[in-house]
């Protein structure tokens, strides 16, 4: 029997080798750009025609919305992560009339792996830029082109409205093309909470709140409702945790009142059932520091 030999064109072999090398380099660069532990989430475009369930206040009829590819932290920023870069700046007056610092404590949940709280929207912005710079990423947030928040109003972070510090910080802009850490937009947050689907479960990952969230009926310890360590409930289909309940999460987006920013998700002691739903949205003053509000970070994927 005559043997048959297949001859390969050297030029074709070179092309195939080049394609394989480029593909390998692409994956290598993606791994370099993706923050450790973050999920790579493919974006999407909402066409303004598709019905959305549960009904959304963001993905609405006649409005197109584009979600970019994202690297997403699967959990809320933890107390340990926050304290690596920032301090707690909130204050309150105690029953004796003394000023006291607000920081995570045993009454509301404390520990390195617990979500951070007592941080306002401006604190979250400062954290994002500080962490971006520390990790060699390009910060997303600027005031007059300056990414160093210590130059914004002398580094003072607003804790109230109607003053120069507040006015300066409210001019902050976001470069969404930068690869640094940032808050998700409200649309991005809801897309992530829905598991990347226009028709999702009531809560982020389940129709059973107990499966995926810490809430007022399951969060009590030693007589107090508290936040719990992150990633201890089930994730949604994108591998993201606690988007329906642990602490609420600041978003970049302003509310209908431009002086407020949107917070999404439920907290461990909410008294309103629908606050835990993926479609629920509520504005809050950006200078608010509450035991119920933290945040999650994302990066635009290159």
């Amino acid at each position: 029997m005559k043997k048959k030999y297949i001859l390969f064109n050297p030029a074709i072999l070179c092309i195939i080798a080049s394609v394989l090398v480029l593909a390998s380099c692409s994956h290598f660069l993606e791994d370099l750009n993706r923050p450790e532990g973050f999920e790579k989430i493919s974006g999407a475009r909402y066409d303004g025609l598709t019905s959305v369930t549960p009904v959304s206040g963001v993905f609405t009829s006649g409005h197109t919305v584009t979600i970019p590819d994202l690297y997403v932290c699967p959990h809320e920023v933890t107390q340990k992560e926050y304290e690596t870069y920032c301090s707690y700046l909130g204050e309150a007056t105690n029953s004796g009339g003394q000023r006291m610092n607000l920081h995570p404590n045993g009454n509301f949940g404390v520990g390195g792996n617990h979500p951070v709280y007592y941080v306002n929207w401006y604190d979250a912005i400062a954290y994002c830029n500080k962490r971006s710079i520390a990790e060699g990423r390009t910060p997303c947030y600027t005031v007059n082109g300056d990414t160093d928040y210590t130059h914004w109003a002398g580094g003072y972070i607003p804790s109230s409205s109607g003053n120069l510090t507040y006015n300066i910080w409210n001019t902050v802009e976001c470069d969404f093309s930068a690869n640094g850490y940032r808050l998700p937009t409200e649309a991005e947050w809801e897309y992530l909470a829905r598991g990347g689907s226009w028709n999702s479960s009531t809560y982020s990952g389940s129709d059973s709140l107990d499966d995926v969230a810490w809430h007022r009926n399951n969060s009590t310890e030693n007589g107090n409702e508290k936040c719990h360590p992150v990633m201890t409930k089930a994730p949604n289909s994108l591998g993201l945790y606690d988007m329906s309940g642990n602490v609420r999460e600041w978003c970049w987006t302003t509310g209908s009142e431009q002086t407020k920013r949107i917070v999404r998700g439920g907290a461990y002691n909410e008294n309103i059932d629908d606050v835990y739903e993926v479609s629920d949205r509520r504005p809050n003053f950006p200078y608010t520091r509450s035991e119920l509000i933290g945040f999650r970070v994302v990066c635009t994927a290159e």
Side-chain angles (χ1 to χ4, degrees), residues 89-100:
L89 302 176
E91 291 187 335
T93 303
N94 65 18
S95 56
Q98 299 171 314
R99 297 295 289 174
M100 53 180 278

Side-chain angles (χ1 to χ4, degrees), residues 111-133:
N113 207 35
H114 285 64
V116 71
Y117 54 91
Y118 281 142
V119 290
N120 65 24
W121 185 84
Y122 306 110
D123 294 324
I125 296 298
Y127 170 87
C128 288
N129 270 21
K130 287 195 76 170
R131 182 173 172 183
S132 295
I133 292 169

Side-chain angles (χ1 to χ4, degrees), residues 55-100:
V55 174
S56 173
V58 175
F59 302 110
T60 57
S61 177
H63 294 87
T64 59
V65 181
T66 299
I67 307 296
D69 292 349
L70 296 168
Y71 299 132
V72 183
C73 186
H75 58 77
E76 295 154 336
V77 171
T78 64
Q79 293 172 24
K80 180 180 179 181
E81 288 173 330
Y82 184 79
E83 292 161 12
T84 299
Y85 303 101
C86 298
S87 301
Y88 300 102
L89 302 176
E91 291 187 335
T93 303
N94 65 18
S95 56
Q98 299 171 314
R99 297 295 289 174
M100 53 180 278

Side-chain angles (χ1 to χ4, degrees), residues 261-301:
R261 297 282 174 168
I262 296 296
V263 288
R264 299 295 299 253
Y268 57 87
N269 71 345
E270 302 283 3
N271 291 317
I272 306 170
D273 288 337
D274 62 5
V275 77
Y276 299 103
E277 297 180 6
V278 293
S279 57
D280 186 77
R281 56 192 303 271
R282 294 165 194 268
N284 210 324
F285 290 110
Y287 51 79
T288 301
R289 292 185 174 106
S290 166
E291 69 275 14
L292 303 180
I293 305 176
F295 62 102
R296 180 186 308 262
V297 292
V298 304
C299 297
T300 302

